Amino acid sequence: MLESEFLLFSSDEVASVKPWQSVVLYVNSVYVISDKILLRDVQALTLYPGKNTNYRRTAPILQLQCTGGTAGCGAYTPEVVQCYNRGWDGSDVQWECKADLENSYRFGRIEVSCEGYDYPDDPYILQGSCGLQYTLELTKGGQQKSSYFSSNYHSSTSHDSIASGAGVVLLILFGVLVYGVYKLFLCDNRPQYGFAHGDGYSGTYGQAHRRPPPPGFNSGTYGQDHHSPPPPGFKSNFAGEILTYL
């Protein structure tokens, strides 16, 4: 805003000036720089992420704020957004906002808000106080790409689950196989410390260390089983040989 003060001379004063005399004209100019502007006169806004707005009556806000959308706020953050004044609808400015977005994303709902200079609905605003709230939506191509990655993720997860389950089964089968080999070749081939009685019966090592029989009992028959004589044609020590083999 320019305020100027001029010193005016009358025609008589100008006529009285001699040719060799000079006239010095003093012009006092005062430039008043104001941060109060009419909202309708704002033609464009340039907004940056992480930067705060100017403030006078209220607290500052971020110039760019994502409020959701199908893409999600963490999917992409524009480096700069420019909003253009596309007209006046009688109550507010109609804004169009653009940014260098990837093909998978687009702006959804946008809302530009500015701080009224003297009161909330003041048609004059504080310069630099405007901020943008927006939603980030997926385009058709972005939806297809998102579905593709999602299906691949679930497929790889199911394959990993099947592979891990098969690994557990193989580990169990291997353990059973090792245990079977151990029982077959190691446990059954352990040496047996046995002895044979005079009548052909076989016993274990622990049976050789019996306590002496009570008084009145024959030491040769104490603790031994008495069997009936073998059938005709069988040797008397045949049963003992079978037991020794087992």
Side-chain angles (χ1 to χ4, degrees):
M1 183 180 297
L2 177 63
E3 296 180 359
S4 301
E5 180 181 354
F6 297 95
L7 298 178
L8 303 178
F9 296 89
S10 63
S11 59
D12 293 338
E13 291 174 333
V14 174
S16 63
V17 176
K18 303 301 180 180
W20 61 86
Q21 293 178 333
S22 61
V23 177
V24 179
L25 180 64
Y26 294 95
V27 178
N28 295 328
S29 299
V30 179
Y31 290 91
V32 178
I33 300 176
S34 177
D35 54 3
K36 180 179 180 180
I37 57 176
L38 185 64
L39 177 61
R40 294 176 60 179
D41 290 342
V42 178
Q43 297 301 311
L45 300 171
T46 302
L47 309 171
Y48 299 92
K51 187 175 181 180
N52 289 331
T53 62
N54 294 336
Y55 64 100
R56 178 173 176 267
R57 296 184 304 102
T58 61
I61 61 174
L62 291 173
Q63 291 186 0
L64 291 177
Q65 296 184 70
C66 177
T67 58
T70 57
C73 294
Y76 186 81
T77 301
E79 296 181 358
V80 60
V81 176
Q82 289 186 321
C83 297
Y84 301 94
N85 185 341
R86 296 308 187 195
W88 176 262
D89 65 355
S91 61
D92 204 355
V93 174
Q94 301 301 301
W95 298 98
E96 180 186 13
C97 296
K98 296 181 179 182
D100 187 14
L101 299 176
E102 294 182 358
N103 295 332
S104 299
Y105 310 110
R106 63 175 179 83
F107 285 135
R109 181 177 177 270
I110 61 172
E111 181 179 356
V112 175
S113 58
C114 305
E115 180 182 325
Y117 196 84
D118 292 321
Y119 51 91
D121 295 330
D122 193 343
Y124 288 89
I125 64 169
L126 176 67
Q127 186 177 10
S129 66
C130 296
L132 171 66
Q133 291 184 339
Y134 65 92
T135 61
L136 192 63
E137 310 293 341
L138 288 172
T139 62
K140 187 174 181 179
Q143 292 175 357
Q144 294 175 351
K145 185 183 296 185
S146 177
S147 301
Y148 174 77
F149 284 120
S150 178
S151 62
N152 283 350
Y153 172 77
H154 289 301
S155 177
S156 62
T157 302
S158 61
H159 289 168
D160 292 342
S161 300
I162 294 174
S164 61
V168 172
V169 172
L170 290 176
L171 185 62
I172 293 175
L173 292 177
F174 180 74
V176 172
L177 180 61
V178 170
Y179 179 75
V181 171
Y182 171 77
K183 292 292 291 181
L184 180 63
F185 292 99
L186 297 181
C187 292
D188 291 345
N189 291 336
R190 289 182 300 177
Q192 297 180 356
Y193 301 94
F195 67 95
H197 296 287
D199 57 357
Y201 288 97
S202 174
T204 62
Y205 176 76
Q207 292 175 342
H209 299 277
R210 297 180 183 272
R211 290 180 296 179
F217 286 86
N218 189 341
S219 61
T221 59
Y222 177 74
Q224 297 180 359
D225 295 332
H226 295 277
H227 298 275
S228 60
F234 288 88
K235 297 172 63 176
S236 61
N237 62 346
F238 180 74
E241 292 177 356
I242 294 177
L243 291 176
T244 303
Y245 176 74
L246 294 176

